[in-house]
Amino acid sequence: MQHGPAPLPRSLRILRDRAHLVIEFHGEIDVLAALEITPFLDAATGRPAPRIVIDLRPVEFFDCSGLRLLFRARRRVLAQDGSLHLVCTHPLTLRILHLTRLAEVLPPVASLDEVLGRSEATGTLEIN
């Protein structure tokens, strides 16, 4: 019996764009969604020098489970000497990011083009 890669959960979409791996979170990001997302996020952030963008624009609900995913991704990307960017426009999610001060170390931007169109040499969103 042959097993292929596990199918992506409904709360996740992964694509490549301009040398970055874009990970879109969809719908409600709660504890159940986080459990489904974690293995895929770990695979993406465990590679050498990953260039990751997490896109939260399709998210309708975001709780502390989502925050844990972002902190975990950030820690893993830093350990692999990579870069992590965050795209977010939802006012409540932005509020959570600012209240928890995650926005200070992972500044959210409004669009993929804002991240991917930017030269990596600028380093404005690069995690050091």
Side-chain angles (χ1 to χ4, degrees):
M1 187 176 208
Q2 192 167 6
H3 297 278
L8 291 177
R10 289 183 307 159
S11 56
L12 193 63
R13 182 172 169 229
I14 300 175
L15 56 117
R16 289 211 171 271
D17 193 338
R18 296 171 255 184
H20 286 77
L21 191 63
V22 179
I23 303 172
E24 291 179 357
F25 291 7
H26 285 260
E28 296 184 5
I29 306 303
D30 57 13
V31 69
L32 293 176
L35 287 173
E36 293 176 338
I37 291 170
T38 297
F40 296 97
L41 192 59
D42 283 357
T45 58
R47 297 179 178 155
R51 297 172 73 185
I52 307 288
V53 177
I54 296 179
D55 189 351
L56 299 180
R57 289 175 301 166
V59 169
E60 299 163 7
F61 174 82
F62 192 82
D63 70 6
C64 62
S65 300
L67 288 172
R68 278 194 297 275
L69 288 171
L70 297 179
F71 276 110
R72 179 183 185 93
R74 181 177 180 275
R75 184 181 72 243
R76 292 174 59 83
V77 165
L78 285 172
Q80 294 296 330
D81 220 13
S83 65
L84 178 63
H85 307 278
L86 184 62
V87 179
C88 181
T89 56
H90 193 283
L92 292 177
T93 305
L94 287 169
R95 184 169 186 228
I96 291 169
L97 295 173
H98 287 285
L99 287 173
T100 60
R101 303 181 85 175
L102 181 58
E104 293 177 15
V105 294
L106 191 56
V109 297
S111 72
L112 280 176
D113 284 337
E114 213 173 321
V115 172
L116 302 176
R118 214 174 258 178
S119 165
E120 286 295 318
T122 62
T124 52
L125 294 179
E126 198 79 25
I127 295 175
N128 298 320

